[in-house]
Amino acid sequence: MPDRTSGHGRPTVTDDPFVTHRGLLFTVAYEMLGSAADAEDVLQETWLRWADVDRSQVREPRAYLVRAVTRQALNRLRSLSRSREDYVGEWLPDPLLTSPDVADDIELAESVSVAMLTVLETLGPAERAVFVLHEVFDLPYVEIAEAVGKSPAAVRQIARRARDHVAARRPRVQVSASERQAVVERFLAALRTGALLDLLDVMAPDVVLITDGGGVVPAAPAPLHGAEQVASLLAGVQGKVDALELAAVWLNGAPAGRIEFDGVPASLSVDVREGRVTRIYVVRNPHKLTRLDEPAELTRQPTPPTALRASQVFVGRAGVDV
């Protein structure tokens, strides 16, 4: 594909295949790692390698870049294994502010949901990579084999194990975005008032609350089970802070909430079944809350050059000059 050029005869940055596929590459890395910061680091490493590649030898830039990001993400995932084993309290993925449009791609929205990412965290690195690439991005086994450094036959076996593992642990009831949004709004209203009966009414009897403080801010060290315990805890929040603000937002492709405890932000995501909240995920670790102000680009498709914003051509922390 020929590049358009700038007035100086050089290809423009937005014509670069890396920039065109940046949203896709970030989505792959984020689904493999569950961390926005680590996904950005993987993209930065991939960009540096891509900058040195002889483009005339690359027949399929998209496939090449996905393989490169997968390899870098696998390396990062293996190095993260020990630190996550030593993580203080419950580990939850970084919440990402997203536009409602992400929910239009039902498979993508499910794959980046907090519920799914916590399930993927229970897979080994190779299993997670194979599952994400095949089940979410529909890559053929031969291409995945090149990315993970295994034979196609081995990849098929890994895919089968990963699929069974995820199927046994993923939420079995799917609800529409509109139904989830209605439940989230009821839940946030109950949190604002702190009324115990309202909280009990919107939660399932077997509701589970999981909070992630990372050892940086206070959080429950283990999941809290049962509507009475969870409701009692949430009803008491009002009395522990001077100001509690809640707003409905879209996180990880689903209706969710943003909370501020005396101006300190947190994210709130939920699972819903039969009109009630069944699982509550609250992230308070400040290191995981850096992507709550600008929507992340989560996609399985390339971004047309005309749709690229200036902020999207920057990669990682260093950036690409434009």
Side-chain angles (χ1 to χ4, degrees), residues 43-271:
L43 260 64
Q44 177 69 19
E45 293 162 2
T46 303
W47 164 256
L48 293 174
R49 286 161 175 75
W50 174 246
D52 292 333
V53 168
D54 181 357
R55 311 292 171 82
S56 66
Q57 302 301 309
V58 180
R59 290 186 299 175
E60 296 288 344
R62 178 184 183 276
Y64 181 95
L65 288 166
V66 168
R67 286 197 300 270
V69 161
T70 299
R71 290 169 184 153
Q72 293 300 322
L74 271 172
N75 292 338
R76 179 62 61 98
L77 194 56
R78 288 167 179 144
S79 68
L80 288 173
S81 296
R82 176 56 62 86
S83 63
R84 290 191 180 174
E85 288 176 2
D86 298 334
Y87 193 80
V88 178
E90 293 294 307
W91 183 94
L92 289 173
D94 294 9
L96 297 181
L97 184 68
T98 55
S99 70
D101 294 344
V102 174
D104 293 340
D105 186 336
I106 296 174
E107 290 186 7
L108 174 63
E110 181 185 3
S111 71
V112 297
S113 68
V114 175
M116 177 59 78
L117 291 172
T118 56
V119 172
L120 293 182
E121 190 67 14
T122 64
L123 292 171
E127 290 178 321
R128 185 166 185 167
V130 170
F131 181 88
V132 167
L133 294 178
H134 185 65
E135 299 298 320
V136 181
F137 296 96
D138 202 27
L139 266 63
Y141 289 123
V142 172
E143 193 170 325
I144 298 172
E146 293 181 20
V148 301
K150 297 183 181 294
S151 70
V155 166
R156 285 180 181 275
Q157 292 181 343
I158 293 171
R160 190 178 303 110
R161 290 199 307 270
R163 211 162 32 238
D164 292 344
H165 180 96
V166 172
R169 292 164 176 79
R170 74 198 308 175
R172 299 184 182 277
V173 179
Q174 301 299 321
V175 299
S176 66
S178 59
E179 180 182 349
R180 186 188 299 267
Q181 188 167 14
V183 174
V184 167
E185 289 174 355
R186 286 176 54 211
F187 186 45
L188 292 178
L191 284 174
R192 287 189 187 96
T193 64
L196 186 63
L197 291 179
D198 289 343
L199 287 166
L200 288 171
D201 184 59
V202 76
M203 294 189 298
D206 58 350
V207 67
V208 179
L209 170 65
I210 302 171
T211 55
D212 178 345
V216 182
V217 296
L224 195 62
H225 295 261
E228 291 188 4
Q229 290 192 68
V230 173
S232 295
L233 176 66
L234 296 178
V237 170
Q238 288 274 15
K240 296 180 180 178
V241 296
D242 294 325
L244 177 66
E245 297 184 16
L246 300 104
V249 295
W250 284 74
L251 299 177
N252 294 67
R258 174 178 175 140
I259 311 173
E260 292 198 4
F261 301 96
D262 291 332
V264 180
S267 71
L268 182 149
S269 301
V270 300
D271 292 343

Side-chain angles (χ1 to χ4, degrees), residues 264-322:
V264 180
S267 71
L268 182 149
S269 301
V270 300
D271 292 343
V272 173
R273 184 183 69 239
E274 297 178 354
R276 288 187 168 187
V277 173
T278 59
R279 216 167 183 85
I280 306 165
Y281 309 92
V282 176
V283 177
R284 300 196 64 199
N285 184 344
H287 302 306
K288 295 186 174 187
L289 299 171
T290 60
R291 302 296 292 269
L292 293 183
D293 294 320
E294 182 176 351
E297 185 188 4
L298 296 177
T299 181
R300 297 191 289 179
Q301 304 297 329
T303 303
T306 54
L308 288 166
R309 302 187 305 272
S311 61
Q312 289 177 295
V313 303
F314 288 88
V315 181
R317 299 187 176 91
V320 180
D321 293 333
V322 289

